[in-house]
Structure formats: structure tokens, C-alpha cells
Amino acid sequence: MTVMTTDAGDLRELTVGTGAGGEQLGTDMVLNIGPQHPSTHGVLRLKLVLDGERVVACEPIVGYMHRGAEKLFEVRDYRQIIVLANRHDWLSAFSNELGVVLAVERLMGMEVPERATWLRMALAELNRVLNHLMFLGSYPLEIGAITPVFYAFRERETIQAVMEEVSGGRIHYMFNRVGGLKEEVPSGWTGRARAAIAEVRRRMPDLDNLIRRNEIFLARTVGVGVLSAADAAAFGASGPVARASGLDLDLRRDEPYLAYDQLDVPVVTRSTGDCHARFEVLLDQVYASLDLAEQCLDRVDRLTGPVNTRLPKVLKAPEGHTYAWTENPLGINGYYLVSRGEKTPWRLKLRTASYANVQALATLLPGCLVSDLIAILGSMFFVVGDIDK
């Protein structure tokens, strides 16, 4: 296509597009996707360079949801921080709380009651299942499959009921405390949680059989958005996104915290690194986490004693610094805590899984078609609040 433009008052001819044999000048188009919702879990902007319908380059631009959580931590005491820390990834609230209290407990050299440790693990695995079910329902929805989200939310409600009973919250649980948990679980709760796990495990094939081998879903995801193991490692990717590319890494097994070293933690991996592999890792992780949660509940039933530690009225961490990291549902979260001996942290830096994982889009998207964009974005399983903090 030939267009006439003005340059300092003079007309000049500009040829846009590529002709047969590439004889004509090609001019790429820059396209902004966002910062409105591009069918993702939050407000993200992608700056794409396109050659026709093919992506030549991608620059993820983040920060549109930035709320300054790390600065807010610095003017709140260690009890108040928890209410903020569970919100950056609103699908993994319990796990977010856990990382903060582990960092404070490590700096204080505090021993947590054994019953609290196993309850924390049971609740963390149930929270992992809730997180994964959200994406297992929303990802097919983003590429046109409506039915799976109803099955996914049916299972979420079953788990949500026991999480709400124990904590009083459906999303932001606020159940972790420095030194243990807020309070003892209700009488008979472990039995009801075990029944919920059995119910979800029994009904999961409804969702699994509907989507895993669906011909249309396979056509949209197999071989699309391939992330190699080398690229995943280079960008610091972790969690299901990295394990789908063959990175066999899981902190629960490799750098165990709480009492994960007493469990045989199955690590679900794939090698192809495409959209379908990432979906399969998430799906199979649900089964693994249901089993782990049940094992933790069995241990809880054999333990007696308190679920928290008596703390002073004003809680102060000693001067120093420490780093704690956890295997959150979306990947590795790190918590770097620096204290000057006061009741508030001098610095609490978050290393979130979504922030590292979304950077890989710069490598994933070039060479792909615009029509595959949403399929690739959805398979990265990120929460934008977790990127921006």
C-alpha cells in the first residue's frame, strides 16, 4: 500500500507492508494491548510490534495496579502487615500470609507449635487447590469454552466452605499469626475438611474429562506459546509455568519449610513448555495437593496442644535481616525482612512469582500470531496485583 505524507511541507511517498519477495519496504506496526483488561487477572499493558498478524516483539509494561504495599509495610506492626500481605495475589491469600509470618518467626528464632505447623500446611494446600481451580475455570473461558468454569467453581465452593468455617473469610483469611494461627479449628472441622477433599477428588474427572483432551482446546494450546527450560530459568520463572517447561523445582521438596520434609511431595512436571503443558501441570497439581492436604489433616488429628505462642503486647523483631521463601500456588515467593529492633520492619521486600513469570512474555510472544495472544497470556497464570504489589 502506498500513502502520501508530508515532511516539512513536502510530499513524499511511503510504502507500507511487504510485497512479494520482500522487494518493498516493510514497516512494522506498534500495537498497545491494554492497559484495560485483555482477558487477564488484572490490568496489564503489552506493547507489541507486529508484522501483519505476527508478533515481532513484546514489551510487558506493568505498574498500573501498583499500591505501594512494601512502603505501607514499613509503617505497620508485624500483626498489621498480614492484612496487607495477603492481598497482592488475592487467589493465594493464606500462602501470602504464611511467608510473612515465617520471615518474622525466623528472625525472632521462634518455635511454632507442631499442631499449628501441620494445620498451616493443610490450609496452604487447600488454598493451592482454590487458586488452581480458578485458573482451570477461567483459562478455558478466555479462549471460548464456557462450561468448565461452572465445574471449577462448584469444586471451589466445596473447599471454600471449610476454609470459611475455619477462618471466617472466603478470600482474605487472616488466619496466620506470628507464632502460629489465630485460634484452634472448630470441633470436627478436620473431618468435614476430609469429606470436602473426598468430594472434590470424586468430581474432578468431570472437569478433567471435559477439557484435557478436548479437540478444540488441544488445537488452541498444543505447540502454542512454547517456553524452553533455559528461558524459564533465565527469567526466574517458577511454579507451574516453569515446571511445564521441564524445570523440576519445588521448594516444598528441595528447600522444605514447615514440615514438608516429612512428606513425600510429588512434583508435577512436563517437558513441552506450551500452553497445554502449563494447563496440565495445574490440573494434575490439584490431585497432588488434595492428597497432601489429607495427609496433613491425618497428622493434625494425632496431635494435641496449642496452635499459637503467647506473644508480648508489643511485638518487636530483633535487629538483623532474614529471607524466607515459600512455594506459593503461582510459584516462588520470597520475603526479605530487615529489622532495626522496632515494632515495624525497616524493610520488607517481596519477590513475587507473577512478576518473574510475566517477564517471559518478551520471549514467548515473538513469532506468535495475534490470535494466539489470549491463549498464551491466560496460560501464564499470573495475577497482576502480584506483579505490581
Side-chain angles (χ1 to χ4, degrees), residues 86-132:
N86 66 14
R87 281 162 164 74
H88 56 87
D89 172 5
W90 43 83
L91 299 177
S92 310
F94 187 88
S95 301
N96 297 340
E97 300 171 11
L98 185 58
V100 172
V101 297
L102 285 175
V104 179
E105 289 162 1
R106 181 171 296 178
L107 191 57
M108 298 182 68
M110 183 180 294
E111 289 291 330
V112 176
E114 188 178 9
R115 182 173 169 84
T117 296
W118 285 95
L119 274 170
R120 280 176 170 181
M121 292 164 61
L123 292 165
E125 292 307 316
L126 291 175
N127 190 201
R128 193 182 311 275
V129 172
L130 286 173
N131 174 289
H132 291 356

Side-chain angles (χ1 to χ4, degrees), residues 41-118:
H41 297 261
V43 182
L44 176 70
R45 176 185 170 201
L46 297 177
K47 184 179 178 181
L48 304 179
V49 179
L50 303 179
D51 179 9
E53 293 188 21
R54 197 166 295 278
V55 178
V56 175
C58 167
E59 180 187 358
I61 301 173
V62 302
Y64 290 94
M65 294 186 67
H66 182 57
R67 291 164 292 175
E70 292 175 348
K71 293 302 291 182
L72 292 174
F73 293 160
E74 296 172 13
V75 292
R76 282 160 173 78
D77 66 35
Y78 291 108
R79 294 179 175 92
Q80 294 170 326
I81 284 173
I82 299 170
V83 77
L84 290 177
N86 66 14
R87 281 162 164 74
H88 56 87
D89 172 5
W90 43 83
L91 299 177
S92 310
F94 187 88
S95 301
N96 297 340
E97 300 171 11
L98 185 58
V100 172
V101 297
L102 285 175
V104 179
E105 289 162 1
R106 181 171 296 178
L107 191 57
M108 298 182 68
M110 183 180 294
E111 289 291 330
V112 176
E114 188 178 9
R115 182 173 169 84
T117 296
W118 285 95

